[in-house]
C-alpha cells in the first residue's frame, strides 16, 4: 500500500499518521502500545497521569496531548523512560490503598494491568495507607475512594456525556481527592444512574455496581487472559473499524 | 558443566503476618520439590521447625509486619541472608492485614476483646510473652532492604518455581505475563 501520509520516528520505527492525531493515537494505530491510565478514546486528551510520557526531539511530553508532527523523533522505550513510567505507577499504588486480592475490579483493572505490563512487582516507596471513605449510600453503586487515581474519567463522563456533573476533584497536591456533587457529599443524594457513562469509565475499582461482585471469577477476567498491551491494540483497531 | 558437585544453596523460609498460603503455594510446585531439593537445603523454616536461622544464601519471607516480633525476626533474617525475597502480597504491600491500617489499634483491640458481638467478660490479652502489635501493618521494605519481590495472594506455584530456578541459576528473576499477579 502506498502510504504518503507524513511520518515521525517512534524508537526505531517509522510511523505514518493522519494530521491531527496525537503521538499516542498514531502509535496505537501503527500497532505500538503506549501505556496510559487517564486516556480514553471517547474523551479529549487529559494528560494527567503522565504514564504515556515520551521524549519528543529530546523533550519529555505526554504522548496523549502532543500532536504528531512530521519528522519528529519520539522515544517511547529507554531505560530512563521505562523506569520513570514504573515509578509513576508505583507512586499511584503507594498513595492509595490498592489491595488487589480483595478488590472486585481485580483482573479488569487498568492500573493493575499496566503494572503487570511494566513489570512492577512492588510499590518500592513506603506506602502512605491514607484514610479514605467508602460510600455505599447509593442503592445500586458503591464508591470506594481508596483506589482513586484521580484520572478524572468519571468527572469528564458525568459532565460531558451524562450532563449530570456528579463528580469533581477537590483540593490540591497530596490532598486532592474525588468529591460527589451533593450537599451531603453522598452518592445516594445524586441522580447517578447505572446506565450513565460515568459508571463504565473508571480504570480502577472506585465506581462499582452493587450485587455484581465476582460474576466473572478471578483469573478469567479481561487482563487475566491477555496483557493490556494486546487488549489495547485490539480495542484501538476495533474503534477504527 | 564439570562433574563436581555444586554446593547447595542454603535457604530459610519464614511466615510473619501471613496466612501460610504462600508456603502452601511453595509446596504446590509438587514433584518439582524433588528437583528443588537437589539444589537447596533448608535452614530455619516452618517446614523444618528449626527456630533460629543460621547464615543463608536465600530467605523467602511471607507476610508483612504486624507486631514487634515480626520486626525482630525480619531483622534477624536480613542479617543472615545474602538474598532476601518478599514472598506474596502481605510481604510486598502489607496485604489483607494492612486493611486495619486506617483503624485505631486501641479501638480494634477493644472491639475484638471487649465490646464485640458475643464477647462475654472479655479482656485484652496482656501476657508479657505476647508480642506488641504495631500501630500499622507494614510491608517488609518499610524496615529492611528487600532484594526481590514476588507479589500474589498467593504467588502461583509456577511463579515461585520461576523465581527459585532463576535465583538458583544466579539470574535476576524474570516473570512475564501471567506470573506477575497482584491477586
Amino acid at each position: 500500500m502506498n502510504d504518503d501520509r507524513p511520518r515521525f520516528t517512534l524508537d526505531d520505527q517509522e510511523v505514518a499518521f493522519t494530521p491531527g492525531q496525537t503521538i499516542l493515537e498514531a502509535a496505537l494505530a501503527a500497532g505500538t502500545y503506549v501505556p496510559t491510565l487517564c486516556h480514553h478514546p471517547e474523551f479529549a486528551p487529559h494528560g494527567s497521569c503522565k504514564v504515556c510520557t515520551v521524549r519528543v526531539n529530546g523533550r519529555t511530553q505526554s504522548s496523549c496531548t502532543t500532536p504528531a508532527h512530521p519528522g519528529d523523533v519520539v522515544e517511547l522505550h529507554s531505560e530512563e523512560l521505562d523506569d520513570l513510567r514504573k515509578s509513576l505507577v508505583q507512586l499511584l499504588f503507594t498513595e492509595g490503598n490498592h489491595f488487589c486480592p480483595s478488590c472486585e475490579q481485580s483482573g479488569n483493572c487498568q492500573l493493575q494491568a499496566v503494572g503487570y505490563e511494566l513489570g512492577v512487582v512492588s510499590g518500592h516507596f513506603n506506602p502512605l495507607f491514607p484514610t479514605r471513605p467508602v460510600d455505599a449510600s447509593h442503592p445500586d453503586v458503591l464508591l470506594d475512594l481508596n483506589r482513586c487515581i484521580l484520572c478524572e474519567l468519571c468527572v469528564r463522563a458525568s459532565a460531558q456525556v451524562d450532563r449530570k456533573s456528579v463528580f469533581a476533584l477537590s483540593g490540591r497536591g497530596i490532598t486532592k481527592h474525588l468529591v460527589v456533587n451533593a450537599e451531603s457529599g453522598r452518592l445516594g443524594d445524586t441522580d447517578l444512574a447505572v446506565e450513565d457513562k460515568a459508571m463504565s469509565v473508571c480504570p480502577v475499582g472506585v465506581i462499582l455496581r452493587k450485587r455484581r461482585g465476582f460474576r466473572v471469577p478471578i483469573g478469567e477476567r479481561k487482563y487475566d487472559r491477555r496483557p493490556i498491551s494486546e487488549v489495547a491494540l485490539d480495542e484501538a483497531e476495533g474503534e477504527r473499524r | 558443566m564439570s562433574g563436581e558437585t555444586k554446593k547447595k544453596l542454603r535457604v530459610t523460609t519464614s511466615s510473619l503476618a501471613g496466612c501460610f498460603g504462600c508456603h502452601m503455594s511453595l509446596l504446590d510446585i509438587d514433584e518439582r520439590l524433588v528437583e528443588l531439593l537437589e539444589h537447596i537445603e533448608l535452614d530455619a523454616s516452618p517446614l523444618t521447625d528449626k527456630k533460629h536461622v543460621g547464615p543463608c544464601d536465600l530467605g523467602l519471607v511471607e507476610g508483612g509486619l504486624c507486631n514487634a516480633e515480626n520486626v525482630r525476626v525480619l531483622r534477624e533474617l536480613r542479617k543472615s541472608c545474602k538474598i532476601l525475597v518478599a514472598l506474596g502480597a502481605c510481604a510486598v504491600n502489607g496485604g489483607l492485614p494492612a486493611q486495619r491500617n486506617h483503624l485505631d489499634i486501641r479501638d480494634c483491640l477493644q472491639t475484638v476483646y471487649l465490646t464485640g458481638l458475643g464477647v462475654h467478660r472479655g479482656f485484652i490479652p496482656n501476657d508479657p510473652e505476647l508480642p506488641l502489635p504495631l500501630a500499622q501493618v507494614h510491608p517488609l521494605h518499610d524496615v529492611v532492604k528487600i532484594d526481590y519481590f514476588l507479589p500474589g495472594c498467593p504467588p502461583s506455584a509456577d511463579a515461585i518455581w520461576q523465581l527459585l530456578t532463576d535465583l538458583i541459576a544466579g539470574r535476576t528473576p524474570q516473570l512475564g505475563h501471567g506470573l506477575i499477579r497482584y491477586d
Side-chain angles (χ1 to χ4, degrees):
Chain A
M1 195 178 82
N2 198 2
D3 189 350
D4 52 6
R5 290 182 300 162
R7 287 158 192 275
F8 65 93
T9 311
L10 183 64
D11 288 338
D12 297 326
Q13 183 198 351
E14 285 266 291
V15 172
F17 66 95
T18 309
Q21 271 184 326
T22 61
I23 291 173
L24 184 138
E25 287 164 346
L28 278 179
T32 300
Y33 168 70
V34 181
T36 173
L37 290 168
C38 70
H39 177 75
H40 191 292
E42 293 169 44
F43 294 94
H46 199 245
S48 62
C49 78
K50 304 293 175 199
V51 174
C52 74
T53 295
V54 292
R55 217 179 273 286
V56 186
N57 303 327
R59 291 179 61 129
T60 46
Q61 314 258 25
S62 315
S63 65
C64 71
T65 56
T66 308
H69 191 262
D72 274 352
V73 178
V74 180
E75 196 180 299
L76 171 61
H77 291 295
S78 65
E79 200 183 335
E80 186 193 356
L81 283 171
D82 289 343
D83 279 353
L84 277 172
R85 230 169 261 138
K86 210 166 158 174
S87 295
L88 287 171
V89 170
Q90 287 171 321
L91 283 166
L92 288 173
F93 269 106
T94 44
E95 276 175 18
N97 294 311
H98 298 275
F99 296 108
C100 300
S102 57
C103 178
E104 161 56 18
Q105 191 72 354
S106 192
N108 293 324
C109 171
Q110 286 179 35
L111 177 65
Q112 186 187 60
V114 166
Y116 294 166
E117 185 69 29
L118 303 182
V120 172
V121 287
S122 82
H124 178 78
F125 303 98
N126 299 124
L128 293 184
F129 296 124
T131 297
R132 294 197 197 158
V134 173
D135 179 350
S137 59
H138 194 287
D140 303 313
V141 185
L142 180 71
L143 190 68
D144 189 338
L145 297 177
N146 287 291
R147 302 156 184 165
C148 184
I149 57 169
L150 309 175
C151 69
E152 285 196 84
L153 272 168
C154 60
V155 177
R156 291 181 269 166
S158 188
Q160 296 166 26
V161 181
D162 306 330
R163 304 280 171 193
K164 290 182 180 177
S165 294
V166 168
F167 300 105
L169 290 190
S170 178
R172 293 188 73 79
I174 196 66
T175 65
K176 191 175 235 183
H177 61 289
L178 189 71
V179 289
V180 169
N181 185 9
E183 204 150 325
S184 62
R186 285 151 52 95
L187 199 62
D189 295 327
T190 68
D191 53 355
L192 180 77
V194 289
E195 305 79 28
D196 288 354
K197 187 72 179 171
M199 286 297 301
S200 63
V201 290
C202 182
V204 290
V206 176
I207 303 171
L208 297 169
R209 276 282 292 274
K210 287 184 178 175
R211 297 175 292 278
R212 283 289 175 95
F214 300 97
R215 285 217 172 160
V216 179
I218 297 273
E220 292 176 22
R221 299 175 176 195
K222 195 170 178 182
Y223 304 115
D224 290 336
R225 297 166 179 274
R226 292 195 310 151
I228 193 169
S229 52
E230 288 178 19
V231 175
L233 289 177
D234 282 0
E235 285 177 352
E237 204 183 319
E239 281 147 22
R240 284 197 300 280
R241 282 210 198 102
Chain B
M1 219 170 128
S2 66
E4 64 186 280
T5 326
K6 216 178 153 196
K7 196 175 156 286
K8 286 186 173 182
L9 286 189
R10 202 154 177 82
V11 178
T12 178
T13 77
S14 188
S15 182
L16 305 177
C19 69
F20 278 90
C22 299
H23 275 78
M24 296 306 292
S25 204
L26 167 65
L27 296 178
D28 226 13
I29 65 176
D30 296 333
E31 69 272 23
R32 290 172 287 189
L33 279 167
V34 179
E35 190 185 335
L36 181 65
L37 287 173
E38 289 170 12
H39 300 285
I40 70 155
E41 54 189 1
L42 278 175
D43 195 276
S45 163
L47 306 170
T48 59
D49 224 18
K50 181 173 179 262
K51 300 295 181 204
H52 287 281
V53 61
C56 281
D57 299 295
L58 174 62
L60 304 175
V61 189
E62 167 190 344
L65 307 162
C66 77
N67 62 38
E69 171 71 0
N70 293 155
V71 177
R72 190 195 61 73
V73 172
L74 179 65
R75 288 193 166 133
E76 191 181 322
L77 286 165
R78 179 67 278 185
K79 273 188 196 143
S80 311
C81 298
K82 289 183 195 156
I83 296 173
L84 205 56
V85 177
L87 185 68
C90 302
V92 170
N93 69 4
L96 188 137
Q99 295 195 46
R100 76 156 158 92
N101 282 358
H102 66 284
L103 302 172
D104 182 74
I105 184 69
R106 185 191 302 266
D107 291 345
C108 281
L109 291 171
Q110 281 181 345
T111 305
V112 171
Y113 292 107
L114 297 176
T115 61
L117 196 66
V119 177
H120 294 288
R121 293 196 298 166
F123 70 99
I124 295 176
N126 59 357
D127 190 298
E129 286 222 343
L130 289 174
L132 284 172
L134 303 176
Q136 288 199 317
V137 178
H138 294 266
L140 305 185
H141 72 271
D142 265 5
V143 172
V144 300
K145 181 184 185 296
I146 295 295
D147 300 294
Y148 299 108
F149 297 85
L150 186 58
C153 185
S156 68
D158 287 341
I160 294 175
W161 178 247
Q162 180 73 42
L163 175 105
L164 289 173
T165 47
D166 281 345
L167 289 176
I168 288 165
R171 294 187 296 258
T172 301
Q174 297 291 340
L175 304 154
H177 181 79
L179 292 184
I180 300 181
R181 292 284 306 248
Y182 307 153
D183 59 10

Coordinates of all heavy atoms in Angstrom, one line a residue, chain A residues 93 98-102 106-107 111-112 115-116 119-127 129-131 218-219 223-227, chain B residues 89 92-96 98-99 101-103 136-139 141-143 148-153 175 177-178 180-183:
Chain A
F93 N 0.2 3.4 43.3 CA 0.0 2.2 44.2 C 0.2 2.6 45.7 O -0.6 2.2 46.6 CB 0.8 1.0 43.9 CG 0.2 0.1 42.9 CD1 0.6 0.1 41.5 CD2 -0.9 -0.7 43.2 CE1 0.0 -0.8 40.6 CE2 -1.5 -1.6 42.3 CZ -1.1 -1.6 41.0
H98 N -4.4 0.0 47.6 CA -4.7 -0.9 46.5 C -4.4 -2.3 47.0 O -3.3 -2.8 46.9 CB -3.9 -0.5 45.3 CG -4.2 0.8 44.7 ND1 -5.2 1.1 43.9 CD2 -3.6 2.0 45.0 CE1 -5.2 2.4 43.6 NE2 -4.3 3.0 44.3
F99 N -5.5 -3.0 47.4 CA -5.3 -4.4 47.9 C -6.0 -5.3 46.9 O -7.2 -5.6 47.0 CB -5.9 -4.5 49.3 CG -5.1 -3.7 50.3 CD1 -5.7 -2.6 50.9 CD2 -3.9 -4.1 50.7 CE1 -5.0 -1.8 51.8 CE2 -3.1 -3.3 51.6 CZ -3.7 -2.2 52.2
C100 N -5.3 -5.6 45.9 CA -5.9 -6.4 44.7 C -6.7 -7.6 45.2 O -7.7 -7.9 44.6 CB -4.9 -6.7 43.7 SG -4.1 -5.2 43.0
P101 N -6.1 -8.4 46.1 CA -6.8 -9.7 46.4 C -8.3 -9.5 46.9 O -9.1 -10.4 46.7 CB -6.0 -10.3 47.5 CG -4.6 -9.7 47.4 CD -4.8 -8.3 46.9
S102 N -8.6 -8.3 47.4 CA -9.9 -8.1 47.9 C -10.7 -7.1 47.1 O -11.7 -6.6 47.5 CB -10.0 -7.7 49.4 OG -9.2 -6.5 49.6
S106 N -10.2 -6.5 40.3 CA -9.0 -7.2 40.0 C -9.2 -8.0 38.8 O -10.1 -8.8 38.6 CB -8.6 -8.1 41.2 OG -7.3 -8.6 41.0
G107 N -8.2 -7.9 37.8 CA -8.3 -8.6 36.6 C -8.9 -7.7 35.5 O -8.7 -8.0 34.3
L111 N -4.9 -0.1 36.2 CA -3.7 0.2 37.0 C -2.9 -1.1 37.2 O -1.7 -1.1 37.0 CB -4.1 0.8 38.3 CG -2.9 1.1 39.3 CD1 -2.0 2.2 38.7 CD2 -3.5 1.6 40.6
Q112 N -3.6 -2.1 37.6 CA -3.0 -3.4 37.8 C -2.4 -4.0 36.5 O -1.3 -4.4 36.5 CB -4.1 -4.4 38.3 CG -3.7 -5.8 38.7 CD -4.9 -6.6 38.9 OE1 -5.7 -6.9 38.1 NE2 -5.0 -7.1 40.2
G115 N 0.6 -2.2 35.6 CA 1.7 -2.6 36.5 C 2.3 -3.9 36.0 O 3.5 -4.1 36.0
Y116 N 1.4 -4.9 35.6 CA 1.9 -6.1 35.0 C 2.8 -5.9 33.8 O 3.9 -6.5 33.6 CB 0.8 -7.1 34.6 CG -0.1 -7.6 35.7 CD1 -1.3 -8.2 35.4 CD2 0.2 -7.5 37.1 CE1 -2.2 -8.6 36.4 CE2 -0.6 -8.0 38.1 CZ -1.8 -8.5 37.7 OH -2.6 -9.0 38.7
G119 N 6.1 -4.6 34.5 CA 7.0 -5.4 35.4 C 7.1 -4.8 36.8 O 8.1 -5.0 37.5
V120 N 6.0 -4.2 37.3 CA 6.0 -3.6 38.7 C 5.7 -4.8 39.6 O 4.7 -5.4 39.5 CB 4.9 -2.5 38.8 CG1 4.8 -2.1 40.3 CG2 5.3 -1.3 38.0
V121 N 6.7 -5.1 40.5 CA 6.4 -6.2 41.5 C 6.3 -5.7 42.9 O 6.0 -6.5 43.8 CB 7.5 -7.3 41.4 CG1 7.4 -8.1 40.1 CG2 8.9 -6.7 41.5
S122 N 6.6 -4.4 43.1 CA 6.4 -3.8 44.5 C 6.1 -2.4 44.4 O 6.3 -1.7 43.3 CB 7.6 -4.0 45.3 OG 8.5 -3.0 45.1
G123 N 5.6 -1.8 45.5 CA 5.3 -0.3 45.5 C 6.6 0.5 45.6 O 6.6 1.7 45.3
H124 N 7.7 -0.1 45.9 CA 9.0 0.5 46.0 C 9.0 1.6 47.1 O 9.9 1.5 48.0 CB 9.5 1.0 44.7 CG 10.8 1.7 44.8 ND1 12.0 1.0 44.9 CD2 11.2 3.0 45.0 CE1 13.0 1.9 45.0 NE2 12.5 3.1 45.1
F125 N 8.1 2.5 47.1 CA 8.1 3.6 48.1 C 7.4 3.1 49.3 O 6.7 2.1 49.3 CB 7.4 4.8 47.5 CG 8.0 5.3 46.2 CD1 7.5 4.9 45.0 CD2 9.2 6.1 46.2 CE1 8.0 5.4 43.8 CE2 9.8 6.5 45.0 CZ 9.2 6.1 43.8
N126 N 7.6 3.8 50.4 CA 6.9 3.5 51.6 C 5.4 3.9 51.5 O 5.1 5.0 51.2 CB 7.4 4.2 52.8 CG 8.9 3.9 53.1 OD1 9.8 4.7 53.1 ND2 9.2 2.6 53.2
P127 N 4.5 2.9 51.7 CA 3.1 3.2 51.4 C 2.5 4.2 52.4 O 2.9 4.3 53.6 CB 2.4 1.8 51.6 CG 3.3 1.0 52.4 CD 4.7 1.5 52.1
F129 N -0.8 4.5 53.2 CA -2.0 4.0 53.8 C -3.0 5.1 54.2 O -3.3 5.3 55.4 CB -1.7 3.2 55.1 CG -0.9 1.9 54.7 CD1 0.3 1.7 55.3 CD2 -1.4 1.0 53.9 CE1 1.0 0.5 55.1 CE2 -0.7 -0.2 53.6 CZ 0.5 -0.4 54.2
P130 N -3.4 5.9 53.3 CA -4.3 7.0 53.6 C -5.7 6.5 54.1 O -6.1 5.4 53.8 CB -4.5 7.8 52.3 CG -4.4 6.7 51.3 CD -3.3 5.8 51.8
T131 N -6.3 7.4 54.9 CA -7.7 7.0 55.4 C -8.7 7.7 54.4 O -8.7 8.9 54.3 CB -7.9 7.6 56.8 OG1 -7.0 6.9 57.7 CG2 -9.3 7.3 57.2
I218 N -12.2 -14.5 39.4 CA -10.8 -14.1 39.3 C -10.0 -15.1 38.5 O -10.2 -16.3 38.6 CB -10.2 -14.0 40.7 CG1 -10.9 -13.0 41.6 CG2 -8.7 -13.8 40.7 CD1 -10.4 -11.6 41.5
G219 N -9.2 -14.6 37.6 CA -8.4 -15.5 36.7 C -9.0 -15.6 35.3 O -8.3 -16.1 34.4
Y223 N -7.8 -8.7 31.7 CA -6.4 -8.7 31.7 C -5.7 -9.9 32.3 O -4.5 -10.0 32.4 CB -5.8 -7.4 32.3 CG -6.4 -6.2 31.7 CD1 -7.2 -5.3 32.5 CD2 -6.2 -5.8 30.4 CE1 -7.8 -4.2 31.9 CE2 -6.7 -4.7 29.8 CZ -7.5 -3.9 30.6 OH -8.1 -2.7 30.0
D224 N -6.6 -10.9 32.8 CA -6.0 -12.2 33.3 C -5.7 -13.0 32.0 O -4.7 -13.8 32.0 CB -7.1 -12.9 34.1 CG -7.4 -12.3 35.4 OD1 -6.5 -11.6 35.9 OD2 -8.4 -12.5 36.0
R225 N -6.5 -12.8 31.0 CA -6.3 -13.7 29.8 C -5.2 -13.2 28.9 O -4.4 -13.9 28.4 CB -7.6 -13.7 29.0 CG -8.8 -14.3 29.7 CD -10.1 -13.9 29.0 NE -11.3 -14.5 29.7 CZ -11.7 -15.7 29.5 NH1 -11.1 -16.5 28.6 NH2 -12.7 -16.2 30.1
R226 N -5.2 -11.8 28.7 CA -4.2 -11.3 27.8 C -3.6 -10.0 28.4 O -4.3 -9.2 29.0 CB -4.8 -11.0 26.4 CG -5.2 -12.3 25.7 CD -5.5 -12.0 24.3 NE -6.4 -10.9 24.1 CZ -6.4 -10.0 23.1 NH1 -5.5 -10.2 22.1 NH2 -7.3 -9.1 23.0
P227 N -2.4 -9.7 28.1 CA -1.8 -8.4 28.7 C -2.5 -7.2 28.0 O -3.0 -7.2 26.9 CB -0.3 -8.5 28.3 CG -0.2 -9.6 27.2 CD -1.4 -10.5 27.4
Chain B
A89 N 1.6 -11.1 48.6 CA 1.0 -9.7 48.7 C 1.3 -9.1 50.1 O 1.6 -7.9 50.1 CB -0.5 -9.8 48.5
V92 N 4.8 -7.9 50.4 CA 5.0 -6.8 49.4 C 4.4 -5.5 49.8 O 5.0 -4.4 49.7 CB 4.6 -7.2 48.0 CG1 4.6 -6.1 47.0 CG2 5.5 -8.4 47.5
N93 N 3.1 -5.5 50.2 CA 2.4 -4.3 50.5 C 1.6 -4.3 51.8 O 0.7 -3.4 52.0 CB 1.6 -3.8 49.3 CG 0.3 -4.6 49.0 OD1 0.0 -5.6 49.8 ND2 -0.4 -4.3 48.0
G94 N 1.8 -5.3 52.6 CA 1.0 -5.4 53.9 C -0.2 -6.3 53.7 O -0.6 -7.0 54.7
G95 N -0.8 -6.3 52.5 CA -1.8 -7.3 52.2 C -3.1 -7.1 53.0 O -3.4 -6.0 53.6
L96 N -3.8 -8.2 53.2 CA -5.1 -8.1 53.9 C -4.9 -7.5 55.4 O -5.7 -6.7 55.8 CB -5.7 -9.5 53.9 CG -7.1 -9.5 54.5 CD1 -8.0 -10.4 53.6 CD2 -7.1 -10.1 55.9
A98 N -3.1 -5.3 56.4 CA -2.9 -3.9 56.4 C -4.2 -3.1 56.2 O -4.2 -1.9 56.3 CB -1.9 -3.5 55.3
Q99 N -5.3 -3.8 56.0 CA -6.5 -3.1 55.8 C -7.1 -2.7 57.2 O -8.1 -2.0 57.2 CB -7.5 -4.0 55.1 CG -7.0 -4.3 53.7 CD -8.1 -4.8 52.7 OE1 -9.2 -4.3 52.7 NE2 -7.7 -5.8 52.0
N101 N -5.1 -0.7 58.8 CA -4.3 0.5 59.0 C -5.0 1.8 59.2 O -4.4 2.7 59.7 CB -3.3 0.6 57.9 CG -2.1 -0.4 58.0 OD1 -2.1 -1.1 59.0 ND2 -1.2 -0.4 57.1
H102 N -6.2 1.9 58.7 CA -6.9 3.2 58.9 C -7.8 3.2 60.2 O -8.5 4.1 60.5 CB -7.8 3.5 57.7 CG -9.0 2.5 57.5 ND1 -8.8 1.3 57.0 CD2 -10.3 2.6 57.8 CE1 -9.9 0.7 57.0 NE2 -10.8 1.4 57.5
L103 N -7.6 2.1 60.9 CA -8.4 1.9 62.2 C -7.4 2.2 63.4 O -6.2 1.8 63.2 CB -9.0 0.6 62.4 CG -10.0 0.1 61.3 CD1 -10.4 -1.3 61.5 CD2 -11.2 1.0 61.3
Q136 N 0.4 0.2 62.8 CA 0.0 -0.1 61.5 C 0.8 -1.3 61.0 O 1.9 -1.6 61.5 CB 0.3 1.0 60.5 CG -0.6 2.3 60.7 CD -0.6 3.2 59.5 OE1 0.5 3.4 59.0 NE2 -1.7 3.6 59.1
V137 N 0.2 -2.0 60.0 CA 0.9 -3.2 59.4 C 1.8 -2.6 58.3 O 1.3 -1.8 57.5 CB -0.1 -4.2 58.8 CG1 0.6 -5.3 58.1 CG2 -1.0 -4.7 60.0
H138 N 3.0 -3.1 58.2 CA 3.9 -2.6 57.2 C 4.4 -3.7 56.3 O 4.6 -4.8 56.7 CB 5.2 -2.0 57.9 CG 4.9 -0.8 58.7 ND1 5.0 0.5 58.3 CD2 4.4 -0.7 60.0 CE1 4.6 1.3 59.2 NE2 4.3 0.7 60.3
P139 N 4.7 -3.3 55.0 CA 5.4 -4.2 54.1 C 6.9 -4.3 54.6 O 7.4 -3.5 55.3 CB 5.3 -3.6 52.7 CG 5.1 -2.1 53.0 CD 4.4 -2.0 54.3
H141 N 9.7 -4.0 53.0 CA 10.7 -3.0 52.6 C 10.6 -1.7 53.3 O 11.4 -0.8 53.2 CB 10.6 -2.8 51.1 CG 9.4 -2.0 50.6 ND1 8.2 -2.7 50.3 CD2 9.2 -0.7 50.4 CE1 7.3 -1.8 49.9 NE2 7.9 -0.6 49.9
D142 N 9.5 -1.6 54.2 CA 9.5 -0.4 55.1 C 10.6 -0.5 56.2 O 11.0 0.5 56.8 CB 8.1 -0.3 55.8 CG 7.1 0.6 55.1 OD1 7.5 1.1 54.0 OD2 6.0 0.8 55.7
V143 N 11.1 -1.7 56.4 CA 12.0 -1.9 57.6 C 13.4 -2.4 57.1 O 14.4 -1.9 57.7 CB 11.4 -2.9 58.6 CG1 12.4 -3.3 59.7 CG2 10.2 -2.3 59.2
Y148 N 14.4 -9.0 46.2 CA 13.4 -9.3 45.1 C 12.0 -9.4 45.7 O 11.8 -9.8 46.9 CB 13.7 -10.6 44.5 CG 15.1 -10.6 43.8 CD1 16.2 -11.3 44.3 CD2 15.3 -9.8 42.6 CE1 17.4 -11.2 43.7 CE2 16.5 -9.8 42.1 CZ 17.6 -10.5 42.6 OH 18.8 -10.4 42.0
F149 N 11.0 -9.1 44.9 CA 9.6 -9.1 45.3 C 8.8 -10.1 44.4 O 9.0 -10.1 43.2 CB 9.0 -7.7 45.2 CG 9.6 -6.7 46.1 CD1 10.7 -6.0 45.6 CD2 9.0 -6.4 47.3 CE1 11.3 -5.0 46.4 CE2 9.6 -5.4 48.1 CZ 10.7 -4.7 47.7
L150 N 8.0 -10.9 45.0 CA 7.1 -11.8 44.2 C 5.7 -11.5 44.8 O 5.3 -12.1 45.8 CB 7.5 -13.2 44.4 CG 6.7 -14.2 43.5 CD1 6.8 -13.8 42.0 CD2 7.2 -15.6 43.7
P151 N 4.9 -10.7 44.1 CA 3.5 -10.4 44.5 C 2.6 -11.6 44.3 O 3.0 -12.6 43.6 CB 3.1 -9.2 43.7 CG 3.9 -9.2 42.5 CD 5.2 -9.9 42.8
G152 N 1.4 -11.5 44.7 CA 0.4 -12.5 44.5 C -0.2 -13.0 45.8 O 0.5 -13.0 46.8
C153 N -1.5 -13.4 45.8 CA -2.1 -13.8 47.0 C -2.8 -15.2 46.8 O -4.0 -15.3 46.6 CB -3.2 -12.8 47.5 SG -4.0 -13.2 49.0
L175 N 9.8 -12.5 35.5 CA 8.5 -13.0 35.5 C 7.7 -12.3 34.4 O 7.5 -11.1 34.4 CB 7.8 -12.7 36.8 CG 8.6 -13.3 38.0 CD1 8.3 -12.5 39.3 CD2 8.3 -14.8 38.3
H177 N 4.0 -12.1 31.7 CA 2.6 -12.0 31.9 C 2.1 -13.4 32.4 O 2.5 -14.4 32.0 CB 1.9 -11.7 30.6 CG 0.4 -11.6 30.8 ND1 -0.2 -10.5 31.3 CD2 -0.6 -12.5 30.5 CE1 -1.5 -10.7 31.4 NE2 -1.8 -11.9 30.9
G178 N 1.2 -13.3 33.4 CA 0.6 -14.5 34.0 C 1.4 -14.9 35.2 O 0.8 -15.6 36.1
I180 N 3.4 -12.5 37.0 CA 3.2 -11.4 37.9 C 1.7 -11.2 38.1 O 1.0 -10.9 37.2 CB 3.8 -10.0 37.4 CG1 5.3 -10.2 37.1 CG2 3.5 -8.9 38.3 CD1 5.9 -8.9 36.6
R181 N 1.2 -11.4 39.3 CA -0.2 -11.2 39.6 C -0.2 -10.6 41.0 O 0.5 -10.9 41.9 CB -0.9 -12.6 39.7 CG -1.0 -13.4 38.4 CD -2.1 -12.8 37.6 NE -3.4 -12.7 38.3 CZ -4.4 -13.5 38.0 NH1 -4.4 -14.3 37.0 NH2 -5.6 -13.3 38.7
Y182 N -1.2 -9.6 41.2 CA -1.3 -9.0 42.5 C -2.5 -9.6 43.3 O -2.7 -9.2 44.4 CB -1.6 -7.5 42.3 CG -0.6 -6.7 41.5 CD1 -0.9 -5.6 40.8 CD2 0.7 -7.2 41.3 CE1 0.0 -4.9 40.0 CE2 1.6 -6.5 40.6 CZ 1.3 -5.3 39.9 OH 2.1 -4.6 39.1
D183 N -3.3 -10.5 42.6 CA -4.4 -11.0 43.4 C -4.3 -12.5 43.6 O -3.2 -13.1 43.4 CB -5.7 -10.7 42.6 CG -5.7 -11.3 41.2 OD1 -4.8 -12.1 40.9 OD2 -6.7 -11.0 40.5

